[in-house]
């Protein structure tokens, strides 16, 4: 098996990534959360209690880096490693979380959650398809890439944005 890591802008590549889609990060909370029916200010966001989805186990993420650039921080009370677990916890508590909008469905709690625009800038989520240069002209590989592009198979969760 091969592991591929992509660091946009780090190095030039002979084959540029093929952008499949771009999405936004959003703040997610239960529909009855005290902040659910208000404009989400930066201060309210930072004062809220947070859940962090962390696959690495680190209790820090991209959001914390963005907040640091504003001299702000948030209170992370719980870290989990799955969107499904995160959705269950957030749907039944006053914790809030940040995730790409199209992954709300992966929580299994879409009907119990509300998404709000973040009150600070975050980079977009880019999903790119990459392949090794030696496969670029392979008819089978070209066919597979075209099927993935045209079928929507790589965007499994609906996103109205």
């Amino acid at each position: 098996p091969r592991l591929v890591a992509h660091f946009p802008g780090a190095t030039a590549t002979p084959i540029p990534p093929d952008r499949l889609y771009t999405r936004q990060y959003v703040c997610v909370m239960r529909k009855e959360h005290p902040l659910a029916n208000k404009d989400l200010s930066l201060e309210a966001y930072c004062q809220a209690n947070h859940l962090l989805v962390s696959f690495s186990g680190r209790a820090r993420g991209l959001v914390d880096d963005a907040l640091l650039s504003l001299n702000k921080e948030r209170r992370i009370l719980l870290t989990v490693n799955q969107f499904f677990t995160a959705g269950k916890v957030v749907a039944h508590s006053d914790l809030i979380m940040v995730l790409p909008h199209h992954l709300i469905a992966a929580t299994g709690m879409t009907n119990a959650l509300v998404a709000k625009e973040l009150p600070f800038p975050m980079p977009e989520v880019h999903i790119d398809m990459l392949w090794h240069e030696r496969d670029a002209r392979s008819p089978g590989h070209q066919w597979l890439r075209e099927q993935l592009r045209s079928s929507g198979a790589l965007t499994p969760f609906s996103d109205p944005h």
Side-chain angles (χ1 to χ4, degrees), residues 84-107:
F84 184 76
T85 302
K88 293 273 190 201
V89 172
V90 169
H92 295 96
S93 72
D94 278 343
L95 296 177
I96 65 175
M97 67 177 166
V98 173
L99 71 160
H101 193 281
H102 66 286
L103 292 179
I104 294 172
T107 68

Side-chain angles (χ1 to χ4, degrees), residues 28-33 49-53 78 84-99 107 109 112-114:
V28 178
M29 62 193 74
R30 67 182 175 93
K31 287 185 177 179
E32 299 80 19
H33 191 283
N49 293 321
H50 294 256
L51 177 147
L52 171 66
V53 178
L78 180 64
F84 184 76
T85 302
K88 293 273 190 201
V89 172
V90 169
H92 295 96
S93 72
D94 278 343
L95 296 177
I96 65 175
M97 67 177 166
V98 173
L99 71 160
T107 68
M109 301 299 295
L113 301 173
V114 62

